[in-house]
Amino acid sequence: MSPKQLRGAETVDRLLDAALRVYADAGEQGITVSSLTRTGGASPGSLYHHFGSVDGLMQALLLRWLGRLLDELTAALERSRTPRTGIRAVVETYLRFIREHPDASRLLHSSYADRVGMAQARQLRDAQEARLSPLTEWMRQHVESGAIAPLPAPLIEALVLGPVVGLARGWLAGTHESDLDHAARVLSERIWRSLEP
């Protein structure tokens, strides 16, 4: 990587880190060109050069953290020997991720992320295709082997992630004072029962 490319990559990282800090401190309404460039130590021109707009920066931030979450979920599944332990690994990994990265998780579970997800579902899915493929393949193999009930993939995804996302949102908002370790054990067992053939 040339020195210019290295400086560009460092600027991108600084702006993405700044966007998460500003979002964590001031919420969506605090995300402005001036707050982002001041916090990230970059010029407005750099923001527009690398991301096109504030929305482009925020979408890149969402993709960065969604990618990290999907990578961790995929790694957890790859270490699992059975579908049941795979479900447990997904639940535990997801809940551990929100505990370890609460600011990023608040963004991922925010109304802003929901709006972007609804408006650009296909583009987001396409951007994460390489990360989603192993999860989809894992489900497909276990459905075909008869280890998981023969349900459509979107329904399996809803049964697995729906309760976990609901708990995560409540915990992140402070409305659920759940012990996440205990919740992971209970949820994974209940989810597994819904998927048994």
Side-chain angles (χ1 to χ4, degrees):
M1 192 179 278
S2 73
K4 183 177 180 179
Q5 290 171 319
L6 187 57
R7 282 192 307 276
E10 289 170 353
T11 300
V12 165
D13 283 341
R14 276 198 327 273
L15 284 167
L16 288 168
D17 292 343
L20 184 58
R21 284 194 308 275
V22 170
Y23 180 84
D25 292 342
E28 186 180 343
Q29 66 278 4
I31 302 291
T32 64
V33 171
S34 62
S35 67
L36 293 168
T37 55
R38 183 176 54 252
T39 305
S43 69
S46 292
L47 187 152
Y48 289 111
H49 171 73
H50 292 291
F51 299 103
S53 66
V54 171
D55 280 341
L57 171 59
M58 293 305 292
Q59 289 170 23
L61 183 63
L62 281 170
L63 286 174
R64 171 191 257 193
W65 284 99
L66 178 59
R68 289 179 181 179
L69 174 59
L70 290 174
D71 286 345
E72 289 191 26
L73 293 175
T74 299
L77 277 180
E78 289 172 350
R79 292 188 301 268
S80 301
R81 293 186 179 174
T82 68
R84 186 179 198 162
T85 59
I87 296 301
R88 184 177 340 124
V90 164
V91 173
E92 289 173 352
T93 299
Y94 198 107
L95 295 178
R96 183 176 58 251
F97 183 91
I98 67 159
R99 184 175 39 232
E100 291 175 358
H101 308 286
D103 292 338
S105 296
R106 282 186 189 89
L107 175 63
L108 288 174
H109 294 86
S110 69
S111 59
Y112 175 80
D114 289 345
R115 286 194 310 276
V116 169
M118 294 296 284
Q120 299 178 13
R122 181 165 302 283
Q123 295 96 322
L124 288 172
R125 195 158 191 92
D126 289 348
Q128 297 297 323
E129 183 59 35
R131 290 177 165 117
L132 290 169
S133 293
L135 301 172
T136 304
E137 180 61 17
W138 182 88
M139 282 189 292
R140 185 193 64 72
Q141 287 177 358
H142 289 298
V143 167
E144 285 182 1
S145 74
I148 292 179
L151 301 169
L155 184 54
I156 293 172
E157 184 179 318
L159 287 169
V160 174
L161 292 179
V164 181
V165 169
L167 178 67
R169 285 180 188 263
W171 188 84
L172 290 163
T175 59
H176 299 333
E177 296 293 326
S178 299
D179 170 354
L180 291 182
D181 294 328
H182 175 71
R185 288 188 298 275
V186 171
L187 267 184
S188 62
E189 190 57 34
R190 297 293 179 162
I191 291 167
W192 171 246
R193 288 182 196 171
S194 73
L195 296 175
E196 281 184 299

